[in-house]
Amino acid sequence: MVSEKELAINKIFLDTLQSNVIIAKDGTLANLVALPRTPAEETEDVTSAENNEISQTTEIDTAANVDTEKSDFTISLNEFSLINDNEITLLDNSVEPVKPQKLFIDTLFLGAISNALNKRDQRNPF
């Protein structure tokens, strides 16, 4: 279910996951893909940085007037599972000797995750 205020997902099953994690010599993730930035986003960043000082005082003034009934966007996931043969290969170039490590996950279950206000204190089964 998707609406203006909520995204609710019942189940996600991943079958036979094959993944590689490569760590560079400096300890960062080498195969982490960054999203491309458009020129408009770069201009917005510069403009927002210049206006940040002015907007901070405005935000402080308006924070007291925020409607208490305003709700945040709620995301909930009832069940997440890895099934069948799941393998993660780790190649850590920041240590010597460099030796690939394999992690096999037979079963992984994660359930009932939500950022709703009434569920924030509940434990999540996994």
Side-chain angles (χ1 to χ4, degrees):
M1 177 180 87
V2 177
S3 71
E4 292 179 6
K5 304 232 179 219
E6 181 180 12
L7 170 63
I9 302 169
N10 188 33
K11 295 179 183 180
I12 296 176
F13 290 108
L14 293 180
D15 186 356
T16 314
L17 175 73
Q18 301 291 318
S19 180
N20 294 307
V21 177
I22 302 171
I23 300 174
K25 289 190 181 270
D26 63 356
T28 60
L29 286 174
N31 59 340
L32 181 64
V33 178
L35 296 174
R37 295 181 60 137
T38 63
E41 289 175 333
E42 292 173 5
T43 305
E44 288 173 8
D45 288 345
V46 172
T47 305
S48 65
E50 292 171 353
N51 294 329
N52 193 24
E53 293 176 14
I54 296 169
S55 65
Q56 284 179 351
T57 57
T58 306
E59 288 174 14
I60 292 169
D61 293 340
T62 58
N65 299 327
V66 173
D67 185 10
T68 56
E69 293 181 10
K70 179 184 172 195
S71 62
D72 294 329
F73 187 77
T74 303
I75 300 172
S76 61
L77 172 62
N78 193 40
E79 180 181 342
F80 176 83
S81 293
L82 293 178
I83 57 175
N84 292 327
D85 299 324
N86 301 286
E87 179 182 315
I88 299 172
T89 303
L90 175 66
L91 183 61
D92 191 350
N93 294 308
S94 66
V95 296
E96 289 292 332
V98 176
K99 181 180 176 187
Q101 302 290 322
K102 293 194 183 258
L103 172 66
F104 297 96
I105 303 171
D106 293 324
T107 304
L108 181 122
F109 171 82
L110 179 64
I113 302 171
S114 178
N115 68 338
L117 289 174
N118 61 345
K119 296 186 179 183
R120 289 188 180 172
D121 292 332
Q122 294 179 358
R123 291 184 166 204
N124 296 322
F126 66 93

